[in-house]
Amino acid sequence: MDRTASVLARAETLCRSRGVRLTPPRRRVLEILCASDRPLGAYEILAAMRGPGKASAAPPTVYRALDFLLEQGLVHRLETLHAFIGCTHPDHPHSSQFLICADCGEVQELEDDALTERLGSAAAESGFRPRRPVVEVIGTCAGCAHKGPPGETDRRPPPTASE
Ligand SMILES: [Zn+2]
Ligand SMILES: [Zn+2]
């Protein structure tokens, strides 16, 4: 069974145990996200659903499917990219941190409970009640860091003397 098939099988089992339905559009959106090696925006998902030989889908269908998948913890939303990614371990509710490669677009999901707890207590200390703690780190992944000389991957303009 490939990765996408096993994620879908796991999602089916999870939904059944929770008494919710993984309807065909929900399943299809999850499949598209899992098959992709980078996060996808809602319109990219819509385009993939409208591919040749596929039944057409309307934007509300995609948004409703995404809402369901987010609710069930099967996908995550990446705020900085306005995109979605399939969760690698949806069997339990969790807060994640994301490492986003600015060069190849690869996203790694971390589940660091200590970091989540620390963030929660730091927020509580200032009387803040987090609704959706979002931790997204933009940088260079290990694969890209090994490729090419440094500087080539660094797209920032060089500092100017006038600064
Ligand atoms: Zn996750
Ligand atoms: Zn990379």
mmCIF file of all heavy atoms in Angstrom, residues 3-34:
data_model
loop_
_atom_site.group_PDB
_atom_site.id
_atom_site.type_symbol
_atom_site.label_atom_id
_atom_site.label_comp_id
_atom_site.label_asym_id
_atom_site.label_seq_id
_atom_site.Cartn_x
_atom_site.Cartn_y
_atom_site.Cartn_z
ATOM 1 N N ARG A 3 1.782 5.414 0.362
ATOM 2 C CA ARG A 3 1.567 6.328 1.470
ATOM 3 C C ARG A 3 0.148 6.923 1.452
ATOM 4 O O ARG A 3 -0.538 6.950 2.460
ATOM 5 C CB ARG A 3 2.609 7.458 1.402
ATOM 6 C CG ARG A 3 2.815 8.194 2.707
ATOM 7 C CD ARG A 3 3.901 9.228 2.529
ATOM 8 N NE ARG A 3 3.451 10.304 1.639
ATOM 9 C CZ ARG A 3 2.870 11.407 2.077
ATOM 10 N NH1 ARG A 3 2.676 11.595 3.349
ATOM 11 N NH2 ARG A 3 2.478 12.349 1.222
ATOM 12 N N THR A 4 -0.264 7.378 0.251
ATOM 13 C CA THR A 4 -1.587 7.993 0.126
ATOM 14 C C THR A 4 -2.688 6.995 0.487
ATOM 15 O O THR A 4 -3.608 7.310 1.234
ATOM 16 C CB THR A 4 -1.805 8.524 -1.303
ATOM 17 O OG1 THR A 4 -0.757 9.442 -1.601
ATOM 18 C CG2 THR A 4 -3.132 9.246 -1.433
ATOM 19 N N ALA A 5 -2.553 5.761 -0.035
ATOM 20 C CA ALA A 5 -3.559 4.730 0.236
ATOM 21 C C ALA A 5 -3.635 4.428 1.728
ATOM 22 O O ALA A 5 -4.729 4.250 2.276
ATOM 23 C CB ALA A 5 -3.232 3.472 -0.560
ATOM 24 N N SER A 6 -2.486 4.378 2.394
ATOM 25 C CA SER A 6 -2.517 4.050 3.823
ATOM 26 C C SER A 6 -3.086 5.210 4.637
ATOM 27 O O SER A 6 -3.788 4.990 5.619
ATOM 28 C CB SER A 6 -1.132 3.619 4.320
ATOM 29 O OG SER A 6 -0.294 4.727 4.491
ATOM 30 N N VAL A 7 -2.810 6.451 4.211
ATOM 31 C CA VAL A 7 -3.392 7.615 4.908
ATOM 32 C C VAL A 7 -4.908 7.590 4.745
ATOM 33 O O VAL A 7 -5.653 7.812 5.707
ATOM 34 C CB VAL A 7 -2.815 8.947 4.369
ATOM 35 C CG1 VAL A 7 -3.601 10.139 4.913
ATOM 36 C CG2 VAL A 7 -1.347 9.096 4.751
ATOM 37 N N LEU A 8 -5.380 7.289 3.528
ATOM 38 C CA LEU A 8 -6.818 7.250 3.276
ATOM 39 C C LEU A 8 -7.490 6.141 4.083
ATOM 40 O O LEU A 8 -8.562 6.338 4.645
ATOM 41 C CB LEU A 8 -7.095 7.072 1.785
ATOM 42 C CG LEU A 8 -6.811 8.304 0.911
ATOM 43 C CD1 LEU A 8 -6.943 7.962 -0.559
ATOM 44 C CD2 LEU A 8 -7.721 9.468 1.269
ATOM 45 N N ALA A 9 -6.832 4.991 4.152
ATOM 46 C CA ALA A 9 -7.387 3.864 4.908
ATOM 47 C C ALA A 9 -7.487 4.227 6.391
ATOM 48 O O ALA A 9 -8.485 3.937 7.052
ATOM 49 C CB ALA A 9 -6.504 2.626 4.727
ATOM 50 N N ARG A 10 -6.454 4.915 6.884
ATOM 51 C CA ARG A 10 -6.441 5.322 8.283
ATOM 52 C C ARG A 10 -7.554 6.348 8.552
ATOM 53 O O ARG A 10 -8.215 6.308 9.576
ATOM 54 C CB ARG A 10 -5.089 5.932 8.644
ATOM 55 C CG ARG A 10 -4.559 5.365 9.914
ATOM 56 C CD ARG A 10 -3.092 5.585 10.140
ATOM 57 N NE ARG A 10 -2.485 6.605 9.286
ATOM 58 C CZ ARG A 10 -1.522 7.420 9.709
ATOM 59 N NH1 ARG A 10 -1.123 7.375 10.937
ATOM 60 N NH2 ARG A 10 -0.956 8.278 8.888
ATOM 61 N N ALA A 11 -7.718 7.278 7.596
ATOM 62 C CA ALA A 11 -8.756 8.307 7.733
ATOM 63 C C ALA A 11 -10.148 7.679 7.762
ATOM 64 O O ALA A 11 -11.004 8.075 8.544
ATOM 65 C CB ALA A 11 -8.643 9.317 6.596
ATOM 66 N N GLU A 12 -10.360 6.660 6.905
ATOM 67 C CA GLU A 12 -11.647 5.945 6.860
ATOM 68 C C GLU A 12 -11.962 5.345 8.231
ATOM 69 O O GLU A 12 -13.052 5.502 8.763
ATOM 70 C CB GLU A 12 -11.600 4.798 5.840
ATOM 71 C CG GLU A 12 -11.451 5.208 4.387
ATOM 72 C CD GLU A 12 -12.789 5.481 3.709
ATOM 73 O OE1 GLU A 12 -13.814 5.570 4.413
ATOM 74 O OE2 GLU A 12 -12.792 5.611 2.464
ATOM 75 N N THR A 13 -10.971 4.640 8.781
ATOM 76 C CA THR A 13 -11.136 3.976 10.080
ATOM 77 C C THR A 13 -11.436 4.993 11.168
ATOM 78 O O THR A 13 -12.338 4.803 11.994
ATOM 79 C CB THR A 13 -9.839 3.216 10.450
ATOM 80 O OG1 THR A 13 -9.427 2.464 9.310
ATOM 81 C CG2 THR A 13 -10.047 2.290 11.625
ATOM 82 N N LEU A 14 -10.664 6.101 11.143
ATOM 83 C CA LEU A 14 -10.808 7.155 12.135
ATOM 84 C C LEU A 14 -12.206 7.766 12.084
ATOM 85 O O LEU A 14 -12.856 7.945 13.114
ATOM 86 C CB LEU A 14 -9.771 8.232 11.824
ATOM 87 C CG LEU A 14 -9.152 8.980 12.982
ATOM 88 C CD1 LEU A 14 -8.397 8.045 13.894
ATOM 89 C CD2 LEU A 14 -8.212 10.054 12.446
ATOM 90 N N CYS A 15 -12.681 8.073 10.854
ATOM 91 C CA CYS A 15 -13.999 8.687 10.693
ATOM 92 C C CYS A 15 -15.090 7.727 11.157
ATOM 93 O O CYS A 15 -16.045 8.133 11.813
ATOM 94 C CB CYS A 15 -14.229 9.095 9.246
ATOM 95 S SG CYS A 15 -13.285 10.560 8.795
ATOM 96 N N ARG A 16 -14.936 6.451 10.822
ATOM 97 C CA ARG A 16 -15.937 5.462 11.214
ATOM 98 C C ARG A 16 -16.015 5.384 12.736
ATOM 99 O O ARG A 16 -17.087 5.359 13.320
ATOM 100 C CB ARG A 16 -15.589 4.094 10.618
ATOM 101 C CG ARG A 16 -16.832 3.261 10.309
ATOM 102 C CD ARG A 16 -16.489 1.988 9.552
ATOM 103 N NE ARG A 16 -15.734 2.231 8.338
ATOM 104 C CZ ARG A 16 -14.581 1.616 8.019
ATOM 105 N NH1 ARG A 16 -14.042 0.741 8.846
ATOM 106 N NH2 ARG A 16 -13.977 1.880 6.878
ATOM 107 N N SER A 17 -14.841 5.378 13.394
ATOM 108 C CA SER A 17 -14.836 5.264 14.858
ATOM 109 C C SER A 17 -15.420 6.512 15.519
ATOM 110 O O SER A 17 -15.907 6.464 16.636
ATOM 111 C CB SER A 17 -13.419 4.998 15.365
ATOM 112 O OG SER A 17 -12.642 6.168 15.235
ATOM 113 N N ARG A 18 -15.371 7.655 14.815
ATOM 114 C CA ARG A 18 -15.923 8.893 15.377
ATOM 115 C C ARG A 18 -17.376 9.122 14.960
ATOM 116 O O ARG A 18 -17.989 10.106 15.345
ATOM 117 C CB ARG A 18 -15.095 10.088 14.906
ATOM 118 C CG ARG A 18 -13.698 10.124 15.510
ATOM 119 C CD ARG A 18 -12.888 11.235 14.887
ATOM 120 N NE ARG A 18 -11.528 11.244 15.406
ATOM 121 C CZ ARG A 18 -10.543 11.960 14.873
ATOM 122 N NH1 ARG A 18 -10.780 12.726 13.819
ATOM 123 N NH2 ARG A 18 -9.338 11.923 15.389
ATOM 124 N N GLY A 19 -17.882 8.234 14.112
ATOM 125 C CA GLY A 19 -19.264 8.361 13.662
ATOM 126 C C GLY A 19 -19.485 9.505 12.684
ATOM 127 O O GLY A 19 -20.579 10.052 12.598
ATOM 128 N N VAL A 20 -18.432 9.893 11.974
ATOM 129 C CA VAL A 20 -18.576 10.922 10.938
ATOM 130 C C VAL A 20 -18.285 10.278 9.577
ATOM 131 O O VAL A 20 -17.681 9.207 9.509
ATOM 132 C CB VAL A 20 -17.634 12.127 11.180
ATOM 133 C CG1 VAL A 20 -18.029 12.869 12.440
ATOM 134 C CG2 VAL A 20 -16.176 11.690 11.255
ATOM 135 N N ARG A 21 -18.722 10.958 8.499
ATOM 136 C CA ARG A 21 -18.582 10.336 7.185
ATOM 137 C C ARG A 21 -17.502 10.980 6.338
ATOM 138 O O ARG A 21 -17.483 12.200 6.147
ATOM 139 C CB ARG A 21 -19.916 10.400 6.442
ATOM 140 C CG ARG A 21 -20.897 9.321 6.908
ATOM 141 C CD ARG A 21 -22.093 9.296 5.984
ATOM 142 N NE ARG A 21 -21.717 8.977 4.618
ATOM 143 C CZ ARG A 21 -22.262 9.541 3.540
ATOM 144 N NH1 ARG A 21 -23.200 10.439 3.666
ATOM 145 N NH2 ARG A 21 -21.868 9.187 2.333
ATOM 146 N N LEU A 22 -16.617 10.155 5.826
ATOM 147 C CA LEU A 22 -15.622 10.618 4.863
ATOM 148 C C LEU A 22 -16.267 10.486 3.478
ATOM 149 O O LEU A 22 -16.091 9.492 2.788
ATOM 150 C CB LEU A 22 -14.340 9.779 4.968
ATOM 151 C CG LEU A 22 -13.118 10.304 4.223
ATOM 152 C CD1 LEU A 22 -12.641 11.625 4.816
ATOM 153 C CD2 LEU A 22 -11.976 9.295 4.265
ATOM 154 N N THR A 23 -17.061 11.494 3.118
ATOM 155 C CA THR A 23 -17.804 11.461 1.846
ATOM 156 C C THR A 23 -16.822 11.518 0.677
ATOM 157 O O THR A 23 -15.662 11.906 0.856
ATOM 158 C CB THR A 23 -18.751 12.662 1.761
ATOM 159 O OG1 THR A 23 -17.972 13.858 1.870
ATOM 160 C CG2 THR A 23 -19.791 12.644 2.880
ATOM 161 N N PRO A 24 -17.270 11.155 -0.540
ATOM 162 C CA PRO A 24 -16.336 11.176 -1.679
ATOM 163 C C PRO A 24 -15.582 12.498 -1.874
ATOM 164 O O PRO A 24 -14.359 12.459 -2.064
ATOM 165 C CB PRO A 24 -17.223 10.826 -2.873
ATOM 166 C CG PRO A 24 -18.318 9.984 -2.279
ATOM 167 C CD PRO A 24 -18.559 10.561 -0.911
ATOM 168 N N PRO A 25 -16.239 13.695 -1.795
ATOM 169 C CA PRO A 25 -15.433 14.915 -1.971
ATOM 170 C C PRO A 25 -14.404 15.121 -0.856
ATOM 171 O O PRO A 25 -13.287 15.567 -1.111
ATOM 172 C CB PRO A 25 -16.456 16.057 -1.960
ATOM 173 C CG PRO A 25 -17.794 15.449 -1.864
ATOM 174 C CD PRO A 25 -17.670 13.980 -1.673
ATOM 175 N N ARG A 26 -14.771 14.776 0.376
ATOM 176 C CA ARG A 26 -13.833 14.899 1.499
ATOM 177 C C ARG A 26 -12.639 13.979 1.289
ATOM 178 O O ARG A 26 -11.490 14.359 1.507
ATOM 179 C CB ARG A 26 -14.535 14.517 2.814
ATOM 180 C CG ARG A 26 -15.602 15.508 3.226
ATOM 181 C CD ARG A 26 -16.465 14.942 4.332
ATOM 182 N NE ARG A 26 -17.423 15.930 4.811
ATOM 183 C CZ ARG A 26 -18.359 15.685 5.710
ATOM 184 N NH1 ARG A 26 -18.471 14.470 6.229
ATOM 185 N NH2 ARG A 26 -19.183 16.625 6.096
ATOM 186 N N ARG A 27 -12.940 12.757 0.865
ATOM 187 C CA ARG A 27 -11.914 11.764 0.629
ATOM 188 C C ARG A 27 -10.980 12.206 -0.495
ATOM 189 O O ARG A 27 -9.768 12.057 -0.420
ATOM 190 C CB ARG A 27 -12.604 10.445 0.252
ATOM 191 C CG ARG A 27 -11.694 9.256 0.206
ATOM 192 C CD ARG A 27 -12.422 8.056 -0.387
ATOM 193 N NE ARG A 27 -11.439 7.168 -0.988
ATOM 194 C CZ ARG A 27 -10.772 6.249 -0.298
ATOM 195 N NH1 ARG A 27 -11.025 6.062 0.957
ATOM 196 N NH2 ARG A 27 -9.842 5.516 -0.881
ATOM 197 N N ARG A 28 -11.581 12.775 -1.539
ATOM 198 C CA ARG A 28 -10.824 13.214 -2.714
ATOM 199 C C ARG A 28 -9.868 14.363 -2.347
ATOM 200 O O ARG A 28 -8.715 14.383 -2.761
ATOM 201 C CB ARG A 28 -11.819 13.643 -3.809
ATOM 202 C CG ARG A 28 -11.203 14.112 -5.094
ATOM 203 C CD ARG A 28 -10.677 12.950 -5.942
ATOM 204 N NE ARG A 28 -9.929 13.484 -7.069
ATOM 205 C CZ ARG A 28 -8.623 13.256 -7.274
ATOM 206 N NH1 ARG A 28 -7.948 12.481 -6.474
ATOM 207 N NH2 ARG A 28 -8.009 13.799 -8.304
ATOM 208 N N VAL A 29 -10.356 15.322 -1.531
ATOM 209 C CA VAL A 29 -9.519 16.447 -1.118
ATOM 210 C C VAL A 29 -8.340 15.932 -0.283
ATOM 211 O O VAL A 29 -7.190 16.330 -0.484
ATOM 212 C CB VAL A 29 -10.344 17.504 -0.326
ATOM 213 C CG1 VAL A 29 -9.433 18.524 0.358
ATOM 214 C CG2 VAL A 29 -11.327 18.226 -1.253
ATOM 215 N N LEU A 30 -8.621 15.002 0.614
ATOM 216 C CA LEU A 30 -7.560 14.418 1.439
ATOM 217 C C LEU A 30 -6.545 13.681 0.563
ATOM 218 O O LEU A 30 -5.337 13.793 0.758
ATOM 219 C CB LEU A 30 -8.174 13.460 2.474
ATOM 220 C CG LEU A 30 -7.192 12.824 3.460
ATOM 221 C CD1 LEU A 30 -6.499 13.885 4.307
ATOM 222 C CD2 LEU A 30 -7.903 11.823 4.363
ATOM 223 N N GLU A 31 -7.054 12.966 -0.431
ATOM 224 C CA GLU A 31 -6.198 12.211 -1.345
ATOM 225 C C GLU A 31 -5.263 13.157 -2.110
ATOM 226 O O GLU A 31 -4.062 12.901 -2.234
ATOM 227 C CB GLU A 31 -7.086 11.431 -2.324
ATOM 228 C CG GLU A 31 -6.317 10.527 -3.255
ATOM 229 C CD GLU A 31 -7.228 9.820 -4.254
ATOM 230 O OE1 GLU A 31 -8.440 10.136 -4.307
ATOM 231 O OE2 GLU A 31 -6.705 8.959 -4.988
ATOM 232 N N ILE A 32 -5.823 14.267 -2.607
ATOM 233 C CA ILE A 32 -5.029 15.245 -3.361
ATOM 234 C C ILE A 32 -3.928 15.831 -2.477
ATOM 235 O O ILE A 32 -2.774 15.945 -2.879
ATOM 236 C CB ILE A 32 -5.944 16.364 -3.930
ATOM 237 C CG1 ILE A 32 -6.818 15.793 -5.052
ATOM 238 C CG2 ILE A 32 -5.126 17.552 -4.433
ATOM 239 C CD1 ILE A 32 -7.993 16.689 -5.435
ATOM 240 N N LEU A 33 -4.292 16.160 -1.226
ATOM 241 C CA LEU A 33 -3.305 16.746 -0.306
ATOM 242 C C LEU A 33 -2.204 15.747 0.048
ATOM 243 O O LEU A 33 -1.041 16.109 0.141
ATOM 244 C CB LEU A 33 -3.994 17.246 0.966
ATOM 245 C CG LEU A 33 -4.702 18.590 0.823
ATOM 246 C CD1 LEU A 33 -5.513 18.897 2.070
ATOM 247 C CD2 LEU A 33 -3.706 19.715 0.552
ATOM 248 N N CYS A 34 -2.589 14.497 0.245
ATOM 249 C CA CYS A 34 -1.603 13.489 0.631
ATOM 250 C C CYS A 34 -0.675 13.128 -0.523
ATOM 251 O O CYS A 34 0.480 12.780 -0.307
ATOM 252 C CB CYS A 34 -2.283 12.233 1.145
ATOM 253 S SG CYS A 34 -3.052 12.528 2.729
#
